[in-house]
């Protein structure tokens, strides 16, 4: 049941996002789009409550409960970022808005971008570990080894992502010309916007 609910929440996330952006930019109903986009966190709340009820009803803590915590942590950390990114692209494509800024590709600007993404991963892991620890305390008497193993999964993800982000700082990629600039470092001119 929990796995099906995780899949339903993921599908629901993308359906609500597509509907919210379509209503905003195709139908020009801004308030309705805001309401649709604000429904996104309700999906995680439903998943959280369903997982807690499942454990309360005596379900043995398993990998699906750990996966639910990781999913909630990920959407807390990356959900708004994803919505904002897609909103910028939809505004550009559907409403003639400015081209969204892309992350820098080179140098320290790219290292900063990767560092910010790593901090989001830290937040995702912190939320997931807190939820998993709450589940461990909630179950108390049962076998909580699967929940503890998912805490280690979250911490390993932070470590691996941190090492990857660190490589951008230690060995910054340089453009062929050797200058340290990227698309995020330059201002889009009105002439470029019109073209």
């Amino acid at each position: 049941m929990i796995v099906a609910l995780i899949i339903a929440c993921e599908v629901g996330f993308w359906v609500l996002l597509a509907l919210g952006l379509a209503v905003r930019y195709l139908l020009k109903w801004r308030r309705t789009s805001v309401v649709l986009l604000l429904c996104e966190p309700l999906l995680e709340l439903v998943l959280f409550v369903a997982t807690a009820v499942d454990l309360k009803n005596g379900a043995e803590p398993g990998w699906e409960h750990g996966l639910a915590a990781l999913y909630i942590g990920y959407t807390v950390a990356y959900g708004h970022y994803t919505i904002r990114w897609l909103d910028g692209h939809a505004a550009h494509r559907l409403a003639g808005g400015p081209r969204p800024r892309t992350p820098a590709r080179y140098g320290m600007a790219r290292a900063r971008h990767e560092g910010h993404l790593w901090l989001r991963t830290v937040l995702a892991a912190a939320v997931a570990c807190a939820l998993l620890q709450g589940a461990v305390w909630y179950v108390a008497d049962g076998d909580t080894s699967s929940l503890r193993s998912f805490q280690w999964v979250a911490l390993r993800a932070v470590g691996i992502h941190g090492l990857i982000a660190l490589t951008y700082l230690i060995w910054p990629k340089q453009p062929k010309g050797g200058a340290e600039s990227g698309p995020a470092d330059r201002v889009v001119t009105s002439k470029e916007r019109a073209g």
Side-chain angles (χ1 to χ4, degrees), residues 50-136:
T51 304
V53 167
D54 192 42
L55 290 171
K56 183 178 189 238
N57 289 339
E60 192 67 29
W63 64 270
E64 61 275 4
H65 300 103
L67 185 62
L70 291 180
Y71 177 80
I72 292 170
Y74 179 83
T75 54
V76 165
Y78 282 95
H80 181 70
Y81 175 80
T82 303
I83 291 170
R84 194 175 66 231
W85 182 81
L86 284 172
D87 185 45
H89 284 279
H92 172 65
R93 297 272 184 190
L94 302 174
R99 181 180 299 272
R101 292 181 67 170
T102 57
R105 295 175 60 196
Y106 306 108
M108 293 310 293
R110 181 59 185 210
R112 276 190 299 277
H113 173 73
E114 293 297 328
H116 289 142
L117 289 180
W118 177 72
L119 289 175
R120 287 185 181 281
T121 301
V122 170
L123 174 62
V127 169
C129 285
L131 290 174
L132 288 164
Q133 189 59 46
V136 166

Side-chain angles (χ1 to χ4, degrees), residues 106-166:
Y106 306 108
M108 293 310 293
R110 181 59 185 210
R112 276 190 299 277
H113 173 73
E114 293 297 328
H116 289 142
L117 289 180
W118 177 72
L119 289 175
R120 287 185 181 281
T121 301
V122 170
L123 174 62
V127 169
C129 285
L131 290 174
L132 288 164
Q133 189 59 46
V136 166
W137 290 334
Y138 188 65
V139 173
D141 297 334
D143 179 23
T144 59
S145 59
S146 64
L147 299 177
R148 295 253 184 233
S149 71
F150 271 91
Q151 286 178 318
W152 286 110
V153 167
L155 294 175
R156 277 194 302 265
V158 167
I160 291 168
H161 193 177
L163 288 174
I164 292 168
L166 191 60

